Amino acid sequence: MASAAEKAPAIASSGSGVVLMFPLPFQGHLNPMLQLADVLRSRGFAITVFHAAFNIPDPERAGGCRFVPVGSEVPVGDLIPTGSDADFAGAILRINERLQGPFQDALREVLLEEEEEGKAPRPVCLVVDSNFRGMQAVAQGFGVPTLVLRTGGAACLVAYMSFHALCDKGVLPPPPSQDQSQLDMPLDDLPPLLLRDMVFSATTPHETMSTCLERILESARSSSGVIVNTFADLEGAELRKIADGVSAPVFAIGPLHRISSGADSSLLIQDRSCLDWLDKQEAGSVLYVSFGSLASMNQEELVETAWGLANSGAPFLWVIRPDLVQGSQKVSTLPGGFEEETRGRGMVVSWAPQQEVLEHSSVGGFWTHNGWNSTLESICEGVPMICRPHFADQMINARYVQEVWRTGFELEGKLERAKIERAVRKLVFEEEGLEMKRRAKDLKNKARRCIEKGGSSEIAIDSLVNCIMSF
Ligand code: UDX
């Protein structure tokens, strides 16, 4: 079955009215939602963003949207997961539960504004993060049409769609005593995925995961359309499976960060001095190292990473978030001698302007946790990857990088300096890495073409605008 973008002729290129949005308040979800806001604003819509009372992007920098706080009185302690071992699915279910009531009040108020003549234009629909089935239900209660934004890749949603069938077959959850090698069992219905790629969290109980995924699918199936931050040339087969599985139009409108004119929704201040440092490095020589906004490591892993990078001989730019190391709020835990050893060749920052870093001609490789935004941003700049997935969709993204797009490889097992050194050398200096880079450049060209006039994502945005105007 063709996606809506492939089927529908493009008619409208601009719309009018207010589009309401409700992002999941985490960096990897805020970025694509606010990029989408920017794209829809450029097509004539005004945007109102409902927002939880934590992880709030700066409205000044996020540009041109009205922000409406939701649940300022709600206790948030157990809503903000920290570290790779956190129970994200549990937190998502709690956020839904706790914010549903406050959202009902906030939405009612916004809808009432429209009735007071001249005060506000008509809200046309609500775009919710696909993890917000609870908020979607509230909007539907008011008769507001909903669209769902999937901030992850299409392959991930396809895998989620198979989760319950794998449970019925007894494949999931793997028995606790399962020996690790059995987790390498290929999943025949989901090539190239392995059983281990479907074990999304070490700490989330199976029932919680199952409920969380069920809600994601429910949100897609009860929506008027599913917006996916990907592009047809990257995940065409997976997009067709989604269209078949959710029976709603599917709009593959990514890569959003390349289409948006630069909404800045960063929750941390980006250290731009690293761009000056990159200017001084040789073309294609630098390894960029970052594990996104949530993944963490322990002190021993930090030390091994430091010496692995130092011993590789490659120039590197390494993002060490203030909370990257579990139980530590300090960057000063880097091993003694590391700074002297890497002076001039390495730079450490606490948060980088990642998209500009990946775009920089000095960057030749990316050691990433494979959050979907990082994966897509790397693909769009033709940068090959060392993959070190931690949780959620990251294992699926890494598997696709390694097996389908072949623009990177996984660094598996315990983090040890010698292994890291070999991986970095392979990516940056060896022929295998250069081949990955060539394939990555090819994908970069495809990503560029899909957003040009008549490209698949441009057509999908037109279809999305038409869809919104039809409400
Ligand atoms: C989370 C999950 O980890 C991920 O699996 C899921 O796909 C989305 O939600 P996160 O861990 O933050 O996301 O990773 P990712 O999806 O890669 O998003 C990180 C964002 O932060 C990217 O847009 C990246 O450009 C930005 N970033 C990262 C910076 O701006 N500066 C940095 O130093 C690092």
Side-chain angles (χ1 to χ4, degrees):
M1 187 174 153
S3 73
E6 287 165 343
K7 280 190 307 186
I11 312 163
S13 59
S14 64
S16 62
V18 181
V19 172
L20 309 174
M21 294 185 149
F22 204 156
L24 188 69
F26 299 113
Q27 189 72 79
H29 294 255
L30 285 169
N31 286 3
M33 185 67 93
L34 291 178
Q35 287 154 3
L36 175 62
D38 199 44
V39 171
L40 291 179
R41 273 190 335 110
S42 74
R43 297 297 189 107
F45 296 102
I47 307 290
T48 295
V49 179
F50 291 93
H51 204 284
F54 59 97
N55 286 350
I56 308 170
D58 180 349
E60 296 290 315
R61 284 188 287 126
C65 302
R66 173 188 178 199
F67 277 75
V68 177
V70 176
S72 309
E73 309 302 318
V74 162
V76 298
D78 59 347
L79 302 185
I80 309 176
T82 48
S84 293
D85 291 339
D87 172 13
F88 289 94
I92 286 169
L93 295 179
R94 285 191 291 279
I95 295 172
N96 271 280
E97 203 175 291
R98 229 168 277 170
L99 291 190
Q100 240 181 331
F103 177 53
Q104 189 157 26
D105 298 339
L107 180 58
R108 184 183 296 110
E109 252 180 59
V110 166
L111 293 174
L112 278 174
E113 284 174 3
E114 186 225 335
E115 287 173 16
E116 295 171 30
E117 208 185 325
K119 191 167 172 199
R122 180 179 72 97
V124 190
C125 64
L126 173 74
V127 183
V128 271
D129 188 284
S130 64
N131 289 287
F132 270 173
R133 171 67 189 131
M135 315 310 160
Q136 181 190 44
V138 167
Q140 288 169 336
F142 284 107
V144 176
T146 62
L147 293 163
V148 157
L149 174 64
R150 269 301 300 162
T151 58
C156 166
L157 188 53
V158 170
Y160 287 178
M161 282 160 50
S162 302
F163 184 85
H164 286 98
L166 289 170
C167 296
D168 293 344
K169 277 190 192 169
V171 176
L172 282 172
S177 62
Q178 190 122 10
D179 107 46
Q180 282 297 304
S181 65
Q182 282 183 277
L183 289 172
D184 287 331
M185 179 178 92
L187 296 175
D188 294 340
D189 297 337
L190 288 173
L193 299 188
L194 309 180
L195 180 55
R196 67 169 66 252
D197 303 329
M198 298 291 284
V199 182
F200 300 114
S201 160
T203 53
T204 299
H206 177 70
E207 282 314 312
T208 307
M209 197 69 230
S210 178
T211 306
C212 193
L213 297 188
E214 191 52 45
R215 301 261 166 90
I216 289 174
L217 297 181
E218 258 174 53
S219 77
R221 290 184 178 127
S222 31
S223 74
S224 299
V226 181
I227 305 165
V228 193
N229 188 17
T230 189
F231 56 99
D233 266 352
L234 187 68
E235 298 192 283
E238 290 75 14
L239 285 164
R240 282 189 287 278
K241 283 187 191 160
I242 294 173
D244 286 345
V246 302
S247 307
V250 175
F251 303 99
I253 64 165
L256 276 165
H257 72 282
R258 298 258 11 147
I259 303 169
S260 138
S261 59
D264 177 4
S265 45
S266 188
L267 295 170
L268 298 171
I269 301 293
Q270 297 174 328
D271 183 343
R272 300 187 61 80
S273 67
C274 59
L275 296 173
D276 298 332
W277 181 81
L278 283 174
D279 286 343
K280 298 189 193 96
Q281 309 303 315
E282 264 179 51
S285 68
V286 177
L287 180 77
Y288 172 58
V289 185
S290 172
F291 307 111
S293 65
L294 298 165
S296 60
M297 50 174 45
N298 61 35
Q299 178 59 26
E300 189 191 339
E301 289 171 323
L302 183 88
V303 170
E304 291 304 305
T305 301
W307 286 123
L309 291 173
N311 298 343
S312 74
F316 62 86
L317 170 62
W318 182 11
V319 177
I320 304 184
R321 285 189 338 261
D323 61 349
L324 176 68
V325 176
Q326 284 153 15
S328 162
Q329 289 296 315
K330 288 193 188 129
V331 176
S332 59
T333 43
L334 281 167
F338 169 76
E339 214 182 305
E340 295 73 25
E341 182 68 29
T342 60
R343 188 164 293 138
R345 177 164 66 81
M347 183 171 191
V348 174
V349 293
S350 56
W351 196 242
Q354 179 164 303
Q355 288 154 30
E356 288 168 82
V357 166
L358 287 168
E359 213 177 327
H360 199 287
S361 58
S362 295
V363 171
F366 183 11
W367 178 4
T368 171
H369 71 310
N370 287 113
W372 181 246
N373 296 287
S374 295
T375 305
L376 194 59
E377 288 161 15
S378 200
I379 284 172
C380 290
E381 301 311 331
V383 177
M385 292 168 248
I386 295 173
C387 305
R388 180 81 186 169
H390 290 234
F391 58 86
D393 58 335
Q394 297 162 14
M395 288 79 73
I396 294 172
N397 302 335
R399 192 70 57 208
Y400 266 66
V401 169
Q402 179 168 284
E403 305 294 337
V404 179
W405 306 313
R406 297 168 60 226
T407 58
F409 59 91
E410 187 176 353
L411 173 56
E412 288 178 71
K414 195 167 184 288
L415 272 188
E416 287 161 352
R417 61 190 75 185
K419 227 158 62 175
I420 295 168
E421 183 186 335
R422 275 198 301 278
V424 176
R425 288 175 162 279
K426 177 166 145 180
L427 190 77
V428 180
F429 302 125
E430 292 172 14
E431 183 52 32
E432 221 179 318
L434 295 176
E435 273 172 29
M436 290 172 192
K437 193 182 258 188
R438 280 192 282 275
R439 286 190 284 270
K441 296 280 177 222
D442 185 44
L443 273 186
K444 170 184 174 171
N445 292 336
K446 288 181 172 159
R448 291 290 194 273
R449 279 200 295 274
C450 79
I451 59 177
E452 284 168 4
K453 190 116 201 82
S456 62
S457 295
E458 214 249 0
I459 293 173
I461 293 173
D462 281 345
S463 300
L464 175 63
V465 171
N466 288 337
C467 171
I468 296 174
M469 290 311 291
S470 72
F471 291 139

